[in-house]
Amino acid sequence: MDRPTLAEMEDDDAMGEPAARGERYFNRELSWLAFNRRVLEEASNAAHPLLERLRFLSISASNLDEFFMVRVAGLRGQLSQEVDRLSADGLTPGQQLTLAAAEADRLMAEQQNVWQSLRRQLADSGITVLGAREVPEADAAWLEAYFREQIFPILTPQALDPAHPFPFIPNKGMSLIFDLCRLRDKAMFRELVMLPTALGRFVRLPGEGARYMAIETLIKRYCWLVFPGYEVRGAATFRVLRDSDLEIEEEAEDLVRHFAAAIKQRRRGRVIRLEREPDLPAEIEALLKAELGGADGIITESVGFLGMGDLAALVDEDRPDLKFTPFTPRFPERIREFGGDCFAAIRAKDIVVQHPYETFDVVLAFLRQAAADPDVVAIKQTLYRAGKQPGVINALIAAAEAGKSVTAVVELKARFDEEQNLLWASALERAGVQVVYGFIDWKTHAKVSMVVRREGAEFRTYCHFGTGNYHPITARIYTDLSFFTADPRIGRDAAQMFNYVTGYLEPTDMELVCMSPRNLRGRLFELIDAEIAAARAGKPAALWAKMNSLVDPAIIEKLYEASNAGVRIELIIRGICCLKPGVPGMGELIRVKSVVGRFLEHSRIWAFGNGAALPNDDALLFISSADWMPRNFDRRVEYMLPILNPTVHMQVLDQVMVANLIDTEQSWELQADGSYRRLEPGAKPFNLHRYFMTNASLSGRGAALKGGAVPRLSLSRGAAVARD
């Protein structure tokens, strides 16, 4: 994001006094940490298999790393630049930094407690992480041989003295410091050993059961082999997190070269967090702070395992009894009915697909068919996060090599995917794809694919609009919608969207699609105002919205206004929510819940009652690529698409949205004080992920895949219900 990071907030004067702000909004950073706490809670959820709980722990740790590398780095950047802009809730950067650091420390301490509990339970289940002194005598010889042959040749100990400059420690780099006494003359030395990135975090011992040892533990155990002739007086591990945000320079003449250089610079960003073991001597801590340039940084004393994100490696252990029951996504029945012909199926009727319950392969099939079809003349595609699997890229390359006109809008500013996107862009260009990088100041976040096909004497446009990325890996764990249509109005709008990104050509007559940064926030205002007018006229008025984050102060104020007017508002917000629900005179009619479970809720769905008595039939329904954050409205290219097809409307509103609303097994409700309360399953518990895993696809037909009655879902006025 551009600096200062909180410049996304509205004008200071328009938002009132700081005290008033705090009464109306939750802090963005603390709300995110609250979300990560909910993720961590799943690591203690006995309803989940043991290795899945370990996965949740590793995810919460990786999330916290990114929080420091980006959000805390942004706050520190504001402090260093003496930026005094207040957050939406009226806090200075320094105040936010203090509160966020304290909460992050508490969260990290809880992660350690959870790890100790899981470690014991894993050991009881036959998966052991050994300490340096816990190796059975029978394995000691193998472990020493492994160290000598596989580890020792890679290590490079470095003395820390005036003759040896302190080495550069890369981002997320882990190192060990040893205090040594030379035996022949009792001279004292200090040595540093960086853990090479080529080494995995764990070594698996042979024999029965799954026994692991962390690489730093192994090095400590056999440090006498590294330092012959020395007595090791002390050894401690530390880890470094660096500022990993990329700033965009407006004067950058070549965006590709700028990002290539910035990615390298990211690895050398200023130190934001120094994590250390508790037995690190004070003088060594002072040395590290001075050498790393982090004397005024945040230092956290860790009481156990550092870099818990690496625990994900243990989840790969082949123990199906300790993991979720395997699930195979279904291929959409609707397309099977047409013999796998995507175009014929879409031409017959709009199709909606919900990932991961329905396979992402349908998107690949759509693109591959377009690449191979001699009647297809052009393909246009946005690429925000495409991942490392080349399915989408290969389809575009095949289309270009077949002589079709192919345009790919590659977003270089997709955080932590910049390097991969540069590689894909280079491969696409070599194949003849016209690669466009979009705007310098804005990210192209809309997920749109457009195929133009010659059919008789005319051309027909087929479109795919996704709420998620064209990423085969995340499509297996993120819940998202894929909408396919041949509606000519949407096709014309999609063409204008692409022309806007590739040629800065302002759309003039968009028929159905609304987009930011042009007018998406304004269109939402109109829709909410219509609900307000309906409520004041005594008509039914309601709003249901599902998204990842709600931060935008202007939208929050409009929702408060709607609540005060009598509009019932149900929000499903997985992550950050700065709105305060249930407060009399402000958000009394607003309910906010967060769903955290097996899959990551990611789809954006918005519905408005439209003054009708039966929202099932008359509610206005939209899907989008945007969350309700200032950046999505003001600094990103996003889309908002109305769902007009009655069947798709019913599937999205009365199935996907309602299932999220009535879930009780994976849901947390936001309280007026900012805390989250886990919902009680109740007499008829409902798990939305299990529901969609065991029922026929949205685009298909037939009975549930497993036996047993399942609820019929529907949206009634003011509530979602499950009917037997």
Side-chain angles (χ1 to χ4, degrees), residues 14 32 77 122 124 206 219 326 354 372 430 471 515 522 627 679 688:
W32 185 92
L122 285 167
D124 292 340
I219 294 173
Q354 185 178 200
R430 288 196 301 270
H471 195 304
M515 60 184 296
D627 291 313
L679 296 186
L688 81 95

Side-chain angles (χ1 to χ4, degrees), residues 431-553:
V433 174
Q434 181 180 354
V435 175
V436 180
Y437 298 105
F439 302 93
I440 291 180
D441 295 328
W442 303 337
K443 290 184 180 181
T444 301
H445 192 248
K447 298 88 167 73
V448 184
S449 183
M450 172 181 159
V451 174
V452 181
R453 187 173 187 267
R454 183 187 295 107
E455 297 182 359
E458 299 178 345
F459 289 98
R460 188 188 298 268
T461 299
Y462 297 84
C463 292
H464 169 265
F465 284 78
T467 63
N469 302 307
Y470 292 94
H471 195 304
I473 299 299
T474 59
R476 298 176 188 171
I477 55 176
Y478 287 21
T479 69
D480 272 305
L481 296 180
S482 278
F483 177 69
F484 296 92
T485 183
D487 188 322
R489 297 169 297 176
I490 297 176
R492 289 190 289 268
D493 286 352
Q496 290 199 71
M497 287 184 64
F498 277 103
N499 291 345
Y500 184 45
V501 176
T502 62
Y504 302 161
L505 302 176
E506 288 274 353
T508 56
D509 55 350
M510 301 281 279
E511 298 175 66
L512 294 178
V513 178
C514 180
M515 60 184 296
S516 63
R518 297 184 70 247
N519 59 350
L520 202 156
R521 185 193 278 114
R523 176 63 176 138
L524 282 173
F525 275 17
E526 293 174 359
L527 291 164
I528 299 173
D529 280 336
E531 295 304 310
I532 293 173
R536 289 173 175 166
K539 298 179 180 180
L543 183 162
W544 305 269
K546 178 180 182 296
M547 67 199 77
N548 300 315
S549 300
L550 171 57
V551 176
D552 189 76

Side-chain angles (χ1 to χ4, degrees), residues 61 80 215 242 329 404 429-430 462 569 572 642 684 694:
S80 65
I215 194 71
R242 294 181 178 272
K404 305 180 192 307
E429 284 185 322
R430 288 196 301 270
Y462 297 84
I569 300 172
I572 305 160
K684 292 185 177 181
T694 56

